[in-house]
Amino acid sequence: MTDDLVLDVRDVKKSYEGLEVLKGIGFGLRRGETKVLVGPSGSGKSTLLRCINHLTPPDEGRIFLSGEEVLEKNIDAMRARIGFVFQDFNLFSHLTVLDNVRICQVKVKGVAADVATERAQQELERVGLGDKASAYPAELSGGQQQRVSIARALAMDPDVLLFDEPTSALDPELTGEVVRVMQKLASDGMTMVVVTHEMSFARQAADELIFMENGYIIEQGPPQQLFSSAANDRTRAFLNVIAEHG
Amino acid sequence: MLDFLRFGIEWLPALLKGVPLTLALWVIAITLGCLLGLILCWARVYGNRLCYWISTVYIELFRGTPMLVQMFFIYLGLPHVGIVFDAFTAAVIAITLNSAAYQAEYFRGSVLSVPRGQMVAARACGMSKWQAIRHIMLPQALRRVIPQWSNEAIIELKFTSIAYTIGVVEITAIAQDIGSRTLDFFQVFLWAGLIYLVLTSTVASLLSWVERRTHVPGVTTN
Ligand SMILES: Nc1ncnc2c1ncn2[C@@H]1O[C@H](COP(=O)(O)OP(=O)(O)OP(=O)(O)O)[C@@H](O)[C@H]1O
Ligand SMILES: [Mg+2]
């Protein structure tokens, strides 16, 4: 059972200066699964994602990637296999779009330059930006920048992709293009954990919705089930609120 | 005016003989100062507590004392403890050490002005700290620092003139010498000033060309 888990998060805890933000979180992800993480602001969603690749090292608990434990000593190699998409893109500003998608392949995985270029071009096509290869990030719209950052993560051929509110920094009219790329990835069989308030995405693409509050997972299940009949009052209230606003 | 030109025709060739030495002093000092400045900046931004303190004390020490005092100390003071440099070497060392302190602070300001997310994104894709600094932080910090660095480079070019006080035969020393021979200090220092002006404006336009050549949209100081 645990063997075929791509991502296995076990009892992760994290405190900031005495404030316990994650109070024992566990969940697993099989190959090709997409799980959407929702919860009120401050519930610890970002912290959880950042604990998975040790951008914020967890205090307790264990994380396994395809059966191999993520540890401080193998962290760079593990991060190369965990794609991370940030809310504010964080594209490398001094590099062209193509080089943004190439650089980690070359420097981290040691991929040959021409192979990396070809792969980069391929991933840019996949997110619909094949014609922007020579542009600089500052010359792109937010939606385009976010799609490049998805291509950058994909080019590393990651076991799993983590998205932390990928559309929250975008103007409303630009969220669609990013959501569509994510939906395509989900249906292409990418393994992903997505923190988002885009409930249309959750409905269509999520295999499971995980509801977090106060550092705990308080409910999880297929989105249809949670949307129609969440067992927990607070889950229901929260889903109603974002359903109205999104 | 005619006097000025006549004086120039007679003495300019002699004055210009000081240019190679002035430029040599400046190029060597500013280059070594740049390398040392980068190391000091590294120590202060990324180093452990010990590196941080050594770097901070160094920077405060060299920025808090006059360069002339530093130069005299190296050239005239150190021989008392058995360390002897010729005048040119002493001047190079003094300007290097002094400039490094200023350059380090400009580099540091520039590194800190690169958005935090750049480092995070680099680490998140698996780069080591060193790789992230080398491939992501440094190229951006260096682009952002060019305007300030140009100022510093030009200030140091002018500061080479104080090497004259320890006997380095650069432009100012030659001017002083011509002045005492002709007793026309007015003309000779006008000409010397003119030479410095040509040098500094050449350097300024060269560096602003570098700035334009390396410009990337979205990577700027402001
Ligand atoms: N670096 C930090 N230092 C101290 N406290 C932090 C830090 N990062 C997060 N926190 C705190 O941890 C809690 C959880 O934050 P987190 O960003 O994980 O929440 P979130 O669920 O992602 O919220 P949001 O929906 O607003 O993004 C918050 O109370 C936050 O203030
Ligand atoms: Mg968050």
Side-chain angles (χ1 to χ4, degrees):
Chain A
M1 171 66 197
T2 43
D3 290 339
D4 62 334
L5 286 179
V6 171
L7 182 66
D8 185 4
V9 176
R10 297 189 198 163
D11 202 26
V12 164
K13 296 184 183 169
K14 177 72 193 177
S15 302
Y16 288 116
E17 296 125 24
L19 171 73
E20 196 170 30
V21 174
L22 300 179
K23 300 173 178 165
I25 298 277
F27 69 95
L29 210 60
R30 272 192 291 278
R31 187 162 308 286
E33 268 187 328
T34 294
K35 296 202 174 179
V36 167
L37 207 55
V38 295
S41 181
S43 57
K45 307 177 298 292
S46 297
T47 306
L48 174 57
L49 285 195
R50 297 167 66 92
C51 277
I52 291 173
N53 72 350
H54 283 220
L55 283 179
T56 304
D59 298 336
E60 280 179 54
R62 305 174 75 178
I63 292 144
F64 295 86
L65 186 69
S66 307
E68 215 177 315
E69 185 159 11
V70 179
L71 298 166
E72 229 20 69
K73 67 173 165 37
N74 64 11
I75 193 60
D76 288 336
M78 288 309 214
R79 281 177 181 156
R81 295 166 48 193
I82 304 173
F84 203 106
V85 176
F86 299 89
Q87 183 172 337
D88 38 14
F89 339 127
N90 293 342
L91 291 180
F92 305 129
S93 343
H94 64 302
L95 298 178
T96 62
V97 163
L98 187 72
D99 283 336
N100 262 277
V101 185
R102 274 164 39 92
I103 189 161
C104 292
Q105 298 182 66
V106 175
K107 301 300 175 192
V108 177
K109 292 177 74 181
V111 174
D114 52 337
V115 178
T117 304
E118 198 172 315
R119 178 71 191 256
Q121 194 62 48
Q122 210 174 309
E123 297 302 349
L124 286 172
E125 306 285 350
R126 189 162 164 192
V127 299
L129 290 172
D131 57 333
K132 293 289 182 193
S134 56
Y136 285 98
E139 299 168 328
L140 302 182
S141 74
Q144 291 172 326
Q145 290 189 53
Q146 192 58 295
R147 282 145 69 199
V148 173
S149 99
I150 294 173
R152 173 175 69 179
L154 287 171
M156 292 294 279
D157 223 346
D159 295 15
V160 61
L161 272 181
L162 310 179
F163 293 81
D164 191 3
E165 303 206 30
T167 57
S168 294
L170 299 177
D171 293 336
E173 70 271 20
L174 299 177
T175 59
E177 59 190 72
V178 173
V179 170
R180 276 192 295 281
V181 166
M182 288 161 53
Q183 274 165 344
K184 194 164 101 196
L185 292 179
S187 61
D188 285 354
M190 194 65 216
T191 313
M192 332 199 275
V193 181
V194 183
V195 175
T196 184
H197 296 304
E198 294 287 327
M199 285 305 117
S200 61
F201 174 79
R203 243 180 246 280
Q204 291 175 28
D207 296 292
E208 191 168 84
L209 204 58
I210 299 179
F211 186 76
M212 271 180 76
E213 194 179 62
N214 262 322
Y216 291 111
I217 290 178
I218 62 170
E219 192 161 4
Q220 54 189 319
Q224 277 69 20
Q225 182 191 317
L226 254 60
F227 278 117
S228 60
S229 59
N232 189 296
D233 290 344
R234 288 197 302 271
T235 314
R236 227 168 17 241
F238 182 78
L239 289 177
N240 282 337
V241 170
I242 44 181
E244 277 166 30
H245 294 273
Chain B
M1 189 63 202
L2 214 59
D3 269 1
F4 180 67
L5 289 178
R6 198 173 297 128
F7 189 95
I9 290 166
E10 192 174 352
W11 294 106
L12 191 57
L15 269 177
L16 288 175
K17 286 209 177 91
V19 171
L21 204 66
T22 290
L23 285 181
L25 185 56
W26 174 68
V27 169
I28 298 173
I30 202 89
T31 308
L32 295 177
C34 180
L35 296 176
L36 181 56
L38 283 171
I39 294 169
L40 289 166
C41 162
W42 167 292
R44 215 170 167 190
V45 179
Y46 297 111
N48 59 26
R49 195 175 292 244
L50 182 68
C51 290
Y52 173 86
W53 279 112
I54 291 174
S55 172
T56 303
V57 167
Y58 177 98
I59 289 167
E60 294 311 321
L61 192 68
F62 278 88
R63 293 200 317 163
T65 53
M67 193 198 284
L68 193 56
V69 171
Q70 295 161 13
M71 202 177 278
F72 282 169
F73 180 80
I74 291 167
Y75 186 62
L76 304 170
L78 288 183
H80 289 279
V81 292
I83 305 171
V84 182
F85 297 110
D86 64 77
F88 181 79
T89 310
V92 165
I93 294 174
I95 299 173
T96 297
L97 296 182
N98 182 279
S99 177
Y102 285 93
Q103 292 192 49
E105 281 299 88
Y106 293 133
F107 290 146
R108 185 172 75 106
S110 180
V111 167
L112 295 179
S113 77
V114 175
R116 248 185 64 76
Q118 297 286 305
M119 184 69 169
V120 176
R123 298 306 307 276
C125 80
M127 284 193 201
S128 65
K129 190 168 164 184
W130 164 244
Q131 284 180 313
I133 292 170
R134 159 85 182 70
H135 300 298
I136 307 302
M137 300 304 284
L138 203 55
Q140 294 188 44
L142 288 180
R143 280 183 174 84
R144 285 163 172 261
V145 85
I146 293 176
Q148 282 178 309
W149 194 86
S150 304
N151 281 340
E152 167 63 14
I154 286 166
I155 288 171
E156 297 303 328
L157 177 52
K158 291 179 287 181
F159 262 130
T160 57
S161 65
I162 70 169
Y164 135 75
T165 58
I166 59 170
V168 177
V169 191
E170 42 66 75
I171 298 168
T172 310
I174 295 175
Q176 167 72 26
D177 181 51
I178 294 172
S180 43
R181 272 196 265 164
T182 61
L183 294 180
D184 201 343
F185 288 101
F186 181 79
Q187 304 280 13
V188 75
F189 281 114
L190 271 183
W191 275 105
L194 196 62
I195 295 176
Y196 279 113
L197 189 63
V198 169
L199 292 181
T200 51
S201 43
T202 307
V203 168
S205 37
L206 211 67
L207 286 170
S208 92
W209 174 80
V210 170
E211 188 182 356
R212 285 194 306 276
R213 274 302 301 269
T214 57
H215 174 75
V216 166
V219 186
T220 44
T221 1
N222 29 25

